[in-house]
Amino acid sequence: MKVIIRNLEKEDKKYKSCKEIKILPLSDIHLGSKQLNKKLLLEAIDQVKNDPYTFTILNGDLIDMTLKSSVGSVYENELSPMEQVEQLIKLLEPIKDKILVVSMGNHERRCEKETNIDVLKLVCSQLGILDKYANGVWYLYLYFGEKVQGRKAPMVYTISGYHGSGGGRGIGGKANRLTDMSNIAVADLYIMGHTHTPMGMKKSIYIPDYSNKSLTLREMHYLMTNSFLEYNNSYGEIQGYHPCSTSLTEAILDGTKRKIKVVI
């Protein structure tokens, strides 16, 4: 599991006094697919670029990478694999400093399986953010703001995720895959993509408080992110999957107390 630490205050003093941080995850973009909603993608990138308090997590399937051995047809892509990589670098360059994590998806793994070439690792190397890259489950410590109770110290949130896998057609199966992430490690927020079905939920668990020999109730939040693919003439339509919302999802983290709002 890749552990990533990001202290925003060390990068810019304005993050010490900020009241909240937004995370706008970008997952299941499928750059190169004819079904990609380019307008929505550019709007999302502009939001990350122009709002100093909005950051992003790139959680896999950023490119479509349809190969001859893939389930889909190479003729469904409007960009070659190399062109997809080049376009992705160009799109991410303006927001590279706002990227918290980059994670591999099953579509990028196609290339690794066939050629042993990790295309997202190469993209991150080109952008100078290789330390933000994880090819599996990742775990992020994010520091910013300042707690209003107790001794003065930055707020810190723990966020974990990976691209995702399985889930089936039903909402229940997808929700189970999302909440299953807390079987790996305890975190404040879990983020997963893959199913193209935006959803949010939360649950609580007691964790031991060794100092006071008691139990503390820990609230955990879950976010399943949207895709950027339109339904008409898509693989999903051909296979009889239901249309999914492409509405952007985000998580809002309070900078003064432990409070998370998941927006879908």
Side-chain angles (χ1 to χ4, degrees):
M1 185 186 306
K2 177 68 174 286
V3 176
I4 300 169
I5 301 172
R6 188 77 181 264
N7 191 328
L8 300 180
E9 180 188 337
K10 289 185 177 180
E11 300 175 19
D12 194 316
K13 292 297 182 183
K14 69 173 175 285
Y15 295 117
K16 180 178 181 179
S17 59
C18 71
K19 301 301 182 184
E20 65 181 28
I21 288 292
K22 292 183 180 180
I23 297 178
L24 176 63
L26 300 179
S27 174
D28 298 282
I29 294 171
H30 295 276
L31 184 63
S33 169
K34 295 177 181 178
Q35 279 71 49
L36 169 62
N37 187 329
K38 298 175 185 176
K39 181 175 181 293
L40 179 64
L41 175 60
L42 293 176
E43 287 174 352
I45 290 176
D46 281 344
Q47 183 177 336
V48 176
K49 176 184 175 182
N50 297 326
D51 183 355
Y53 300 103
T54 296
F55 291 79
T56 189
I57 288 173
L58 306 177
N59 211 22
D61 282 4
L62 307 181
I63 56 179
D64 203 59
M65 192 55 70
T66 300
L67 307 175
K68 290 182 178 180
S69 59
S70 302
V71 175
S73 167
V74 293
Y75 303 108
E76 294 174 357
N77 281 176
E78 61 181 13
L79 297 173
S80 70
M82 188 63 201
E83 289 171 331
Q84 293 173 33
V85 173
E86 291 172 339
Q87 284 294 315
L88 183 63
I89 293 172
K90 184 178 179 180
L91 283 169
L92 297 180
E93 177 68 33
I95 62 168
K96 62 182 181 181
D97 294 333
K98 309 293 288 298
I99 297 171
L100 300 173
V101 180
V102 182
S103 178
M104 180 189 287
N106 55 289
H107 278 246
E108 290 93 7
R109 203 170 295 280
R110 291 171 172 175
C111 184
E112 184 187 51
K113 180 180 178 181
E114 292 290 328
T115 67
N116 195 35
I117 296 174
D118 186 334
V119 290
L120 282 190
K121 189 174 183 179
L122 294 176
V123 168
C124 290
S125 179
Q126 183 69 25
L127 293 172
I129 56 171
L130 196 54
D131 57 328
K132 308 298 188 300
Y133 177 64
N135 64 1
V137 178
W138 48 267
Y139 197 93
L140 171 68
Y141 285 90
L142 181 62
Y143 294 82
F144 69 96
E146 189 172 68
K147 294 188 293 186
V148 295
Q149 293 181 335
R151 65 181 182 87
K152 289 186 176 182
M155 278 299 304
V156 56
Y157 287 91
T158 52
I159 308 170
S160 186
Y162 77 121
H163 174 66
S165 61
R169 295 193 179 209
I171 294 294
K174 296 175 182 181
N176 287 337
R177 294 299 292 165
L178 177 59
T179 56
D180 277 349
M181 285 195 295
S182 51
N183 294 333
I184 300 173
V186 175
D188 298 309
L189 173 65
Y190 300 91
I191 299 177
M192 184 179 125
H194 185 65
T195 71
H196 298 196
T197 306
M199 68 174 73
M201 62 191 75
K202 61 182 178 180
K203 68 177 185 179
S204 297
I205 188 173
Y206 282 104
I207 60 174
D209 182 342
Y210 295 103
S211 299
N212 299 309
K213 298 180 178 61
S214 62
L215 295 172
T216 300
L217 191 63
R218 181 74 168 264
E219 194 171 65
M220 300 179 293
H221 296 74
Y222 301 84
L223 176 60
M224 185 89 77
T225 56
N226 63 289
S227 84
F228 287 81
L229 295 182
E230 297 295 343
Y231 185 70
N232 290 340
N233 301 315
S234 69
Y235 173 82
E237 182 187 20
I238 293 171
Q239 294 297 317
Y241 294 116
H242 63 82
C244 294
S245 172
T246 56
S247 297
L248 297 176
T249 62
E250 63 181 26
I252 303 173
L253 282 55
D254 195 290
T256 61
K257 57 185 175 182
R258 191 165 304 284
K259 180 181 179 183
I260 298 176
K261 181 179 181 182
V262 170
V263 181
I264 58 173

